[in-house]
Amino acid sequence: MTSVDSPFWGPDFRELQSTDPQIAEVLLGELDRLRGGLQLIASENFTSPAVLAALGSTLSNKYAEGYPGRRYYGGCQQVDRAEEIGQERARQLFAQPGTDIHVNLQPHSGASANLAAYAALLKPGDTVLAMSLPHGGHLTHGAKVSFSGTWFQPVPYTVRRDTELIDYDEVRDLALTHRPTMIITGATAYPRLIDFARFREIADEVGAWLVVDAAHFIGLVAGQAIPSPVPYADVVTFTTHKVLRGPRGGMIVCKPELAKRIDKAVFPFLQGGPLMHAVAAKAVALQECLQPAYRDYARQVIANAQALAEALAAEGMRPVSGGTDTHLALLDLRELGVTGSQAETRCDRARITLNKNAIPYDPQPPMTASGIRVGTPAVTTQGMTEGDMKEVASLIGRAVRDADGSATNDVGTAVGALVARHPAYARPGQATGLRA
Ligand SMILES: *Cc1c(COP(=O)(O)O)cnc(C)c1O
């Protein structure tokens, strides 16, 4: 068998530099950006060198339409193993004791996983009850610009004005009125836990499928830091690159009786050949999630988000719903008289990367927005803890209030010093801050 030194063919950066210096420079520039700034986008993380090795492998070359053991191409012995190993690891992570689940590792992205769930369970024109986009839902939950709002009938549910929490009574009322074929829950900007049991009850009452889009928080479930939607949902869709810390991609976990419908929806209904390098990298990430250290990581992600939300509150930014139970917080900036878009720009010039975000009942249009969203998956992977979050909050506070840019240099320098103590993708000879 080929061993690593005989030689192993994988990413050869010097080769790229000599054949395509322009793109090599982009890669180096991006690495500098990651190393030199604070990455607080709630949907981003730093993958491990092992995941990157699988992603940069010759598995990218292989056509493997179909599923392990029943492919439309020959030569799939090795990639079959990668997919089966990945499925087995997902079962270990997500199946409840004594129950079985089906796993599909092939969706190219979270949006593709959602499209597959719609395709498996619905016909065009069917009604879908889903979280309103301005209240934290995803584009694939019924936005007009997405397939979900064009080919299906979305009915949006919202959060309450007073608590900024999902209004389960409203969800039930809407379900009884509109009789959706599918209810989808999960969000991109909801900092609290979702009551999956309550959603199951409502779905059962009206005979709807329950799909949980766990894209954001599935990593916290894998790390056993928050309750799992798997016992309640018919289908759970998610991305593999957010808290879960794997390669960019999607995944689906479903009840065994839906296995065929889900598999057929992914291939051949909406995709062709799977990205087998990404499937292998997903397997690597799932193995990392099975380690005890990943459980510590997941808990620390939440502790950091809570510390960050609290410290930002002290800076005059109001945490929507009063705080967070997860990896992200949504901050209302109206008291500071700064819009989300201004805050995003001001932070960006000081090397703090975060995004503007609508808050519930936002008076501003989405491109302006009254809030920002911050997440702790990446900084926690770098090894930062609650004490660092206080410093991060103070740096954000200074950047957000810095209308004329006079503090940009000082804040940027402080950001540089902070991340140098916890390097992401350490330079040779530098101690790595990366958590196992
Ligand atoms: C990120 C996200 C998606 C989409 O994932 P992509 O990989 O960007 O397509 C879908 N649903 C939710 C709730 C998300 O947060």
Side-chain angles (χ1 to χ4, degrees):
M1 189 148 192
T2 303
S3 84
V4 168
D5 351 272
S6 71
F8 180 79
W9 288 89
D12 181 341
F13 192 74
R14 301 216 178 274
E15 174 71 20
L16 180 66
Q17 274 181 313
S18 69
T19 59
D20 192 338
Q22 261 183 308
I23 291 297
E25 217 162 281
V26 172
L27 268 54
L28 287 174
E30 174 63 4
L31 193 52
D32 280 346
R33 188 188 69 82
L34 290 179
R35 283 169 166 167
L38 269 170
Q39 311 306 325
L40 295 169
I41 295 195
S43 47
E44 291 183 358
N45 209 332
F46 301 123
T47 51
S48 70
V51 167
L52 291 176
L55 270 184
S57 69
T58 55
L59 267 61
S60 168
N61 298 330
K62 191 71 197 94
Y63 247 113
E65 283 178 357
Y67 291 97
R70 35 198 179 100
R71 305 281 191 187
Y72 291 83
Y73 289 86
C76 288
Q77 299 83 351
Q78 298 301 328
V79 293
D80 272 8
R81 285 174 60 206
E83 191 161 350
E84 283 167 347
I85 291 168
Q87 288 173 316
E88 183 46 40
R89 290 173 182 170
R91 270 184 225 107
Q92 280 183 52
L93 271 176
F94 299 119
Q96 305 297 303
T99 65
D100 196 16
I101 53 171
H102 176 69
V103 178
N104 189 307
L105 289 170
Q106 296 189 6
H108 298 334
S109 68
S112 301
N114 282 347
L115 177 49
Y118 280 73
L121 304 176
L122 306 178
K123 289 188 305 298
D126 280 354
T127 300
V128 177
L129 183 58
M131 184 128 163
S132 151
L133 185 68
H135 288 209
H138 189 258
L139 285 166
T140 54
H141 298 186
K144 271 276 160 279
V145 292
S146 137
F147 70 87
S148 57
T150 308
W151 296 336
F152 301 92
Q153 281 298 326
V155 176
Y157 62 82
T158 57
V159 298
R160 288 173 59 104
R161 233 175 231 282
D162 52 355
T163 57
E164 299 175 310
L165 300 176
I166 292 173
D167 187 340
Y168 295 95
D169 294 331
E170 183 202 30
V171 175
R172 178 169 179 269
D173 288 346
L174 289 169
L176 289 169
T177 307
H178 296 278
R179 298 275 153 181
T181 313
M182 175 173 115
I183 300 177
I184 184 161
T185 184
T188 62
Y190 187 67
R192 296 302 190 170
L193 299 180
I194 295 171
D195 187 346
F196 303 122
R198 187 81 199 274
F199 267 104
R200 180 75 261 171
E201 254 172 51
I202 297 168
D204 284 345
E205 198 176 348
V206 299
W209 298 107
L210 179 61
V211 173
V212 175
D213 178 351
H216 256 272
F217 57 82
I218 194 69
L220 301 176
V221 174
Q224 300 178 11
I226 64 169
S228 172
V230 173
Y232 303 100
D234 297 296
V235 177
V236 181
T237 59
F238 50 93
T239 55
T240 48
H241 51 269
K242 297 182 183 175
V243 187
L244 196 76
R245 213 163 59 181
R248 183 159 296 279
M251 242 176 98
I252 301 176
V253 163
C254 67
K255 295 188 167 159
E257 48 282 23
L258 290 173
K260 270 216 174 98
R261 284 166 85 156
I262 288 290
D263 282 356
K264 281 188 186 162
V266 173
F267 171 85
F269 188 78
L270 82 98
Q271 290 185 177
L275 313 174
M276 292 315 297
H277 57 306
V279 168
K282 288 170 193 175
V284 174
L286 294 168
Q287 171 79 329
E288 291 176 2
C289 291
L290 281 162
Q291 306 311 309
Y294 186 82
R295 268 173 238 159
D296 299 338
Y297 166 72
R299 274 195 296 272
Q300 189 65 49
V301 165
I302 297 175
N304 281 351
Q306 290 171 337
L308 183 57
E310 201 176 301
L312 287 170
E315 294 285 335
M317 305 178 208
R318 184 186 69 86
V320 165
S321 83
T324 178
D325 306 317
T326 64
H327 61 295
L328 69 85
L330 197 57
L331 290 312
D332 174 356
L333 307 183
R334 285 176 298 178
E335 265 174 48
L336 296 179
V338 178
T339 68
S341 117
Q342 286 169 327
E344 180 184 300
T345 308
R346 291 175 190 179
C347 286
D348 194 52
R349 66 190 181 202
R351 296 194 283 176
I352 301 170
T353 306
L354 46 70
N355 61 283
K356 64 175 174 285
N357 213 104
I359 58 170
Y361 306 98
D362 202 322
Q364 298 283 358
M367 287 308 284
T368 309
S370 298
I372 52 172
R373 187 185 68 161
V374 292
T376 52
V379 290
T380 308
T381 295
Q382 281 174 278
M384 292 193 198
T385 54
E386 291 93 324
D388 301 305
M389 293 306 106
K390 288 191 185 146
E391 191 174 343
V392 169
S394 133
L395 293 169
I396 294 173
R398 282 169 68 191
V400 165
R401 278 190 284 265
D402 180 27
D404 63 2
S406 57
T408 298
N409 277 346
D410 282 0
V411 176
T413 305
V415 164
L418 173 62
V419 295
R421 294 204 298 277
H422 303 282
Y425 301 127
R427 294 177 170 82
Q430 195 180 27
T432 179
L434 277 196
R435 296 177 69 103

